[in-house]
Amino acid sequence: MGKDVFFAEGVALIEKASDFTFGLANFKGEAINKLGDSDGHKQPFTIQGYFETYKLTRVQLYLTCQLCEDSDDEVLMTNVFGPSTSNSQSFRTPQNKGKAWRNQLHAQLENERKLWRNLRKEQDEEFQKCLELDRKKQAALEGEIEELSKLEELRSIKAARVPAEPGTGSPRVLMVAQHPFQGRVTRFFSAAEKMMAVYDCHDEIATDDEDCESLSLLAIDPVTETLPQQLMELDEERIIDERGKLEEGVGSGVTRDVIATFWQQLFAATMVGDREKVPCIRHDFQKSEWTAIGRVLVFGFKEINYFPISLSKAFLASCLFGKESIDDEFLLSSFRFYVTSEERETFDKIRKGDCESDDDDVLEFLGHYKTFAMPTKGNINSILSQLKHQELIQRPRYVAQCWVPVLAELKQYPEFSSPTGLDDFFSAKMPSEKKTARMLQSQPVNEAESQCLDYLKKFIRSLDAPALGTLLKFTTGSNIQPERLEVSFTSMDCPHLWPVVRVTKNLPELQ
C-alpha cells in the first residue's frame, strides 16, 4: 500500500519501483521485519503482532527504500548478451541514474524559478498601475478640496459685504430666490443699495452653482443699478432677466410664456409618457409640491386660457370624476398615446388582431411594462386593460389624491364637466398644421402681401409637430392651438435689410 502511494502503477517522478528495495521501520529508523516473542524467538512481522508485542494503541510505521546496485556479474552479462541500443535499461548504472536525476531536478527547479520571476514581474506591473491610479485619485481629490476651499473663501468674503436688512419704516425693495432645499428665500434691501450687494447675497445663499434655480430681483433699475421703488408700481406683467434688466415682453403673453415654459420643464423632469404624460413619484416632490403644481394648472386655465394638453386625459379624468366614471375605451385611447411610437404600432396590431400572441414585438412590448402573465389570444385584451389601469391610474394615484381638491374648481367650466367634454377640449386644443393655417386672419391690400400670406400658410402646413409647437410658442407664448392668429404687414423703409418678424400680443408683424 505504501509503495502504491509513492509509486503509482510502479513508477514515480524520478525512478521505477523495481529499482528500489523497500522495507518497514519504526520511528528510530530501525528495521522491523522480524518480531521477538516472550520466549525470545523471532516471528514474521505482522501489524497485529507489532501491537501485541509492544502493547501499543497507536503506531506509526515508516516506509524505507534503497536504490538497488547491480553486481559486476550482472553488468558483465548485460554488456555481452543484452540489447545493443543506446537507450537500453542495461546501461543505466547508479552513477548515470544519479546524474539523470540531478539534471531533471535542476531543470524542474529552473522552470519554477522562471515561473516565479514572471509572476513577480506581473505583480510588480499591476502594483505600479494601482499605485498610479491612486496617485491620480489623490491629486484629483486634493484639487477638488483646494477648489472648494477657494469657493468657500470667496463666499465668506461676499457674505461679509452683504449689508444688513433695512427696517420696515425705510424705503426698501425685495429680492426673491428659489432654493432647492430652503424653498423660497426672500430678503429686503435699501432702495439706494447697489446691485453688487444683491449678487453677493445670492452667492451667499447658494451652496454651489446650481443650487439657486431662479433669482427674482424685484424693482431694479438697470441704468443706475439701484433699487428704485417706482418700478414696483408696474400694472403689466414683465420679465426680469438674470442680469436684472426688464425684457421687452408686455401683457398676458408674458404670463402665458412663463406658464408654458414651466409645464415644458416640468414634463421633462417629473412625468413619463410619449404624447400623453402622467406624473411619476419623486422623493423630493411631496404633497405641498404636487398641490402647488395643481394650483398652477388651475391658474393657467382661468387667467390666460392655457392648459397643458400633454397631460394624460385618463389621469385628469380620474382626478376630476373618479376612476369609476372612466370607461375602457377612454382609457385605451389615452394609453395608446402614452406608449412610444414604436410600441403604438404593436398596440394597434394587438387591438386589430393582426399579430400572434407569441410574436417577438408583442412579448417585448408586454415585458417593458413587467407583464407576468403569458399572453394568449384569449387573454391579450385583458392584459392590455390591466396595463392601462396600472400605468394611468395606479402609478400616479398619490398625485391624483393631491390634485382632487385643487382641480375641483374646474368642474364649473363646460370643458371639465364630463369625460366627453374633456376629450373634446383636448381635441380642440391639439395643434395641427391645417387648423393653424386656417386660423390665420389677415387683410392683405396688394399682391405682394397676398403672396406672402400664401407662403406663410404653405410653410405652416410643411411643419412637423415639434416645429409647429415652436412656431406657436414664438407667436402666442404657448404650444397649444389658438382660437385665432392675426397677421399684419408693414413696409420696409430700407430694402437692403433682412426681413424682420415681430410678435405683439398674438399679432405677427411681417416686414
Side-chain angles (χ1 to χ4, degrees), residues 105-133:
L105 181 61
H106 178 75
Q108 184 177 1
L109 292 176
E110 187 63 27
N111 290 334
E112 291 181 355
R113 291 192 188 97
K114 290 181 179 179
L115 292 175
W116 170 250
R117 285 193 294 268
N118 293 336
L119 180 60
R120 185 172 181 179
K121 182 179 179 181
E122 293 177 359
Q123 290 177 345
D124 291 341
E125 292 176 354
E126 292 296 328
F127 174 74
Q128 293 298 328
K129 291 180 181 179
C130 295
L131 192 62
E132 184 64 24
L133 289 177

Side-chain angles (χ1 to χ4, degrees), residues 476-505:
T476 67
S478 65
N479 55 355
I480 63 175
Q481 187 66 53
E483 296 180 358
R484 63 187 178 87
L485 190 60
E486 298 181 1
V487 180
S488 66
F489 299 89
T490 58
S491 61
M492 297 178 62
D493 296 333
C494 300
H496 63 277
L497 296 178
W498 288 99
V500 179
V501 179
R502 295 188 180 93
V503 180
T504 305
K505 297 184 178 179

Side-chain angles (χ1 to χ4, degrees), residues 419-442:
T420 304
L422 183 64
D423 192 16
D424 295 340
F425 173 69
F426 270 64
S427 299
K429 291 296 183 181
M430 182 65 66
S432 68
E433 300 81 5
K434 292 182 179 180
K435 288 192 295 185
T436 304
R438 291 172 184 171
M439 289 181 179
L440 293 178
Q441 297 183 5
S442 180

Side-chain angles (χ1 to χ4, degrees), residues 25-305:
N26 56 17
F27 68 95
K28 296 180 180 180
E30 300 172 347
I32 52 173
N33 53 350
K34 296 291 185 178
L35 296 176
D37 55 10
S38 57
D39 299 332
H41 301 290
K42 298 293 184 179
Q43 301 293 336
F45 174 82
T46 61
I47 296 296
Q48 181 178 0
Y50 191 78
F51 274 92
E52 293 176 352
T53 301
Y54 294 100
K55 309 297 186 212
L56 300 174
T57 58
R58 181 179 178 183
V59 66
Q60 290 183 349
L61 301 178
Y62 298 88
L63 177 68
T64 62
C65 62
Q66 186 176 4
L67 189 65
C68 298
E69 295 183 4
D70 298 332
S71 62
D72 294 339
D73 294 339
E74 291 177 348
V75 173
L76 182 61
M77 293 294 296
T78 303
N79 292 337
V80 176
F81 300 103
S84 59
T85 59
S86 61
N87 294 331
S88 174
Q89 185 69 22
S90 60
F91 288 98
R92 296 181 61 186
T93 63
Q95 293 81 3
N96 292 335
K97 292 179 182 179
K99 183 178 181 180
W101 178 81
R102 286 191 299 272
N103 293 337
Q104 186 174 2
L105 181 61
H106 178 75
Q108 184 177 1
L109 292 176
E110 187 63 27
N111 290 334
E112 291 181 355
R113 291 192 188 97
K114 290 181 179 179
L115 292 175
W116 170 250
R117 285 193 294 268
N118 293 336
L119 180 60
R120 185 172 181 179
K121 182 179 179 181
E122 293 177 359
Q123 290 177 345
D124 291 341
E125 292 176 354
E126 292 296 328
F127 174 74
Q128 293 298 328
K129 291 180 181 179
C130 295
L131 192 62
E132 184 64 24
L133 289 177
D134 291 340
R135 291 195 189 100
K136 292 181 179 179
K137 291 180 180 180
Q138 183 66 24
L141 181 60
E142 292 177 354
E144 291 179 2
I145 294 175
E146 184 179 359
E147 186 68 21
L148 290 175
S149 300
K150 292 180 179 179
L151 291 176
E152 186 62 30
E153 183 180 359
L154 180 61
R155 189 176 293 113
S156 301
I157 295 173
K158 291 183 177 182
R161 296 195 308 224
V162 176
E165 290 191 74
T168 55
S170 58
R172 59 180 186 172
V173 289
L174 180 66
M175 182 204 76
V176 181
Q178 185 64 33
H179 196 279
F181 306 120
Q182 302 177 20
R184 182 172 179 174
V185 180
T186 61
R187 196 183 192 283
F188 286 99
F189 288 86
S190 173
E193 194 62 65
K194 295 292 184 179
M195 280 293 300
M196 184 60 68
V198 179
Y199 294 136
D200 289 341
C201 180
H202 171 266
D203 295 338
E204 179 191 6
I205 296 172
T207 56
D208 55 53
D209 293 340
E210 299 180 355
D211 267 357
C212 283
E213 298 173 355
S214 63
L215 175 63
S216 300
L217 305 177
L218 305 183
I220 292 179
D221 189 345
V223 178
T224 61
E225 289 194 347
T226 60
L227 307 175
Q229 192 70 23
Q230 59 268 24
L231 287 181
M232 295 293 290
E233 301 175 358
L234 290 173
D235 296 329
E236 295 180 307
E237 294 89 348
R238 302 290 297 272
I239 293 181
I240 303 175
D241 62 15
E242 63 275 5
R243 295 180 298 275
K245 297 182 179 180
L246 288 172
E247 294 187 355
E248 296 295 333
V250 178
S252 61
V254 173
T255 305
R256 188 182 299 108
D257 190 7
V258 171
I259 296 297
T261 304
F262 166 79
W263 282 105
Q264 187 177 9
Q265 296 179 358
L266 190 70
F267 284 143
T270 65
M271 300 195 184
V272 294
D274 186 32
R275 292 175 58 180
E276 291 193 11
K277 305 178 185 295
V278 297
C280 60
I281 300 301
R282 287 178 42 159
H283 70 91
D284 53 345
F285 273 58
Q286 300 300 320
K287 182 178 180 179
S288 58
E289 285 79 10
W290 289 117
T291 304
I293 294 173
R295 293 196 185 100
V296 174
L297 183 68
V298 176
F299 171 83
F301 178 76
K302 291 176 58 179
E303 299 297 330
I304 55 175
N305 195 27

